[in-house]
Amino acid sequence: MGHKEKSKERKEKRLQEISLLRTIPYADHQRWWSKETIAVVTGGNRGIGFEISRQLADHGVTVILTSRDASVGVESIKVLQEGGLQDVACHQLDILDTSSINQFCEWLKENYGGLDILVNNAGVNFNFGSDNSVENSKLVIETNYYGTKRMIKAMIPLMKSSSAGGRIVNVSSRLGRLNGKRNRLENEALREQLSDEESLSEEVIDGMVSTFLQQVEDGSWKSGGWPPTFTDYSVSKLAVNSYTRFMAKKLSERPDGEKIYINSYCPGWVKTALTGYAGSVSVEDGADSGVWLSLIPDQAITGKFFAERREINF
């Protein structure tokens, strides 16, 4: 059996283990949450976001799923309610639009007093199969990175104080790893800069995506040392992973009772619209680590990257 087959077999075995783990209920002493616990899931109207919403609601958390199209959000919560999950709500939200985010914040504060869990799931991808167009790079970066960043900044002041700590989970991708074997960032100076925990800053991350977009504009991006697969999507997720690490350090300074833990995870290549339904991972398995990170009991895990409930290197 070749290396590729062995790797595939290991992954399939791990997904089987996770499916089994999902059937084991949390013990009472592990359940730090109740239906008073509020989870916000962006892009929760379909795919992984919808499944994360469903699983969180199934665990007894009150879930607010957001959708760019309000009517689609309403249809999504009807499906959840018909499945017996009553503590679900929806609200219109466009993470590209600051006024939409502000309206959502006001509504959330007024109706729920804030939130405990934020799952940044909303994202876009325009490449499938062997495509690697950068035609939509600006929208990809604007949505996947800047949209996620806007939501984090808007939601932090609304995070409720608790001994368990607030949770932020960013749905990301292995394609955005700094040191991935197959899709790595070849620009060594930039890789070094992004790897350095001490000097990593928002300006460094913003500078990276600005350089990429500038090179797309002037046509020089192919020689920029960027990840070779789904380049625009990979750069956007590299930025999300870097921002997760940056924010973890910044948030770690908060006092006890006001802690916020932030992590990112890769759901795998899931059978959803984002992959053109070409993925090999079920939506239940794709959502699993995001739900697990949202609810993980008694552990101050922050600034880490996960896949299949295991920490992997950035």
Side-chain angles (χ1 to χ4, degrees), residues 137-146 209 213 232 235-236:
S137 293
K138 205 169 178 185
L139 180 56
V140 171
I141 298 287
E142 192 61 40
T143 307
N144 298 358
Y145 171 53
Y146 286 111
V209 296
L213 290 174
D232 55 3
V235 169
S236 75

Side-chain angles (χ1 to χ4, degrees), residues 203-252:
E203 290 72 29
V204 166
I205 304 164
D206 286 359
M208 172 192 72
V209 296
S210 296
T211 300
F212 170 66
L213 290 174
Q214 185 56 54
Q215 289 183 7
V216 166
E217 209 168 296
D218 65 29
S220 66
W221 67 275
K222 283 188 178 176
S223 57
W226 304 106
T229 306
F230 295 176
T231 303
D232 55 3
Y233 182 79
S234 297
V235 169
S236 75
K237 294 303 188 181
L238 176 59
V240 167
N241 287 343
S242 301
Y243 192 69
T244 301
R245 284 165 46 231
F246 164 70
M247 282 306 295
K249 190 179 174 191
K250 195 174 172 185
L251 292 168
S252 68

Side-chain angles (χ1 to χ4, degrees), residues 31-310:
R31 294 170 66 93
W32 59 267
W33 64 91
S34 68
K35 74 173 186 177
E36 305 304 314
T37 304
I38 309 299
V40 170
V41 182
T42 67
N45 55 291
R46 65 177 187 176
I48 295 169
F50 179 78
E51 182 59 23
I52 288 173
S53 301
R54 190 193 69 75
Q55 289 187 27
L56 284 172
D58 200 34
H59 281 298
V61 172
T62 293
V63 176
I64 299 155
L65 65 82
T66 74
S67 170
R68 204 168 40 191
D69 182 330
S71 61
V72 175
V74 170
E75 288 306 311
S76 299
I77 63 161
K78 273 186 193 166
V79 173
L80 293 174
Q81 287 166 341
E82 283 163 10
L85 301 169
Q86 296 309 311
D87 295 314
V88 289
C90 66
H91 196 276
Q92 192 278 335
L93 176 67
D94 182 352
I95 64 169
L96 294 175
D97 181 353
T98 307
S99 66
S100 174
I101 292 173
N102 291 340
Q103 282 171 16
F104 175 68
C105 287
E106 287 302 314
W107 175 85
L108 182 66
K109 196 174 177 181
E110 198 177 307
N111 290 277
Y112 295 92
L115 76 162
D116 304 272
I117 298 164
L118 169 64
V119 181
N120 284 308
N121 164 75
V124 293
N125 168 48
F126 295 94
N127 285 310
F128 303 105
S130 58
D131 299 347
N132 195 25
S133 165
V134 290
E135 193 184 331
N136 296 293
S137 293
K138 205 169 178 185
L139 180 56
V140 171
I141 298 287
E142 192 61 40
T143 307
N144 298 358
Y145 171 53
Y146 286 111
T148 294
K149 190 163 79 156
R150 274 188 211 104
M151 280 304 293
I152 290 169
K153 287 184 173 183
M155 293 293 113
I156 283 173
L158 298 180
M159 281 277 181
K160 295 178 183 178
S161 300
S162 78
S163 57
R167 315 288 171 102
I168 300 174
V169 178
N170 297 323
V171 180
S172 191
S173 173
R174 284 184 181 94
L175 289 173
R177 287 171 76 189
L178 268 176
N179 297 300
K181 285 176 191 168
R182 285 174 297 179
N183 200 46
R184 70 188 298 178
L185 181 69
E186 294 299 343
N187 181 329
E188 281 190 36
L190 183 55
R191 200 164 70 232
E192 211 168 284
Q193 211 179 6
L194 292 170
S195 300
D196 186 345
E197 296 287 340
E198 293 309 308
S199 64
L200 183 64
S201 66
E202 193 170 342
E203 290 72 29
V204 166
I205 304 164
D206 286 359
M208 172 192 72
V209 296
S210 296
T211 300
F212 170 66
L213 290 174
Q214 185 56 54
Q215 289 183 7
V216 166
E217 209 168 296
D218 65 29
S220 66
W221 67 275
K222 283 188 178 176
S223 57
W226 304 106
T229 306
F230 295 176
T231 303
D232 55 3
Y233 182 79
S234 297
V235 169
S236 75
K237 294 303 188 181
L238 176 59
V240 167
N241 287 343
S242 301
Y243 192 69
T244 301
R245 284 165 46 231
F246 164 70
M247 282 306 295
K249 190 179 174 191
K250 195 174 172 185
L251 292 168
S252 68
E253 294 156 10
R254 290 169 71 96
D256 286 346
E258 291 178 30
K259 295 287 188 197
I260 298 173
Y261 305 114
I262 181 169
N263 296 286
S264 57
Y265 91 100
C266 175
W269 206 233
V270 183
K271 294 172 196 156
T272 63
L274 193 106
T275 65
Y277 298 96
S280 55
V281 176
S282 74
V283 75
E284 292 82 5
D285 286 336
D288 178 84
S289 290
V291 174
W292 174 72
L293 281 169
S294 298
L295 300 179
I296 202 162
D298 307 326
Q299 286 186 57
I301 295 170
T302 195
K304 306 292 185 190
F305 186 35
F306 291 85
E308 290 101 41
R309 296 197 186 193
R310 285 178 176 157

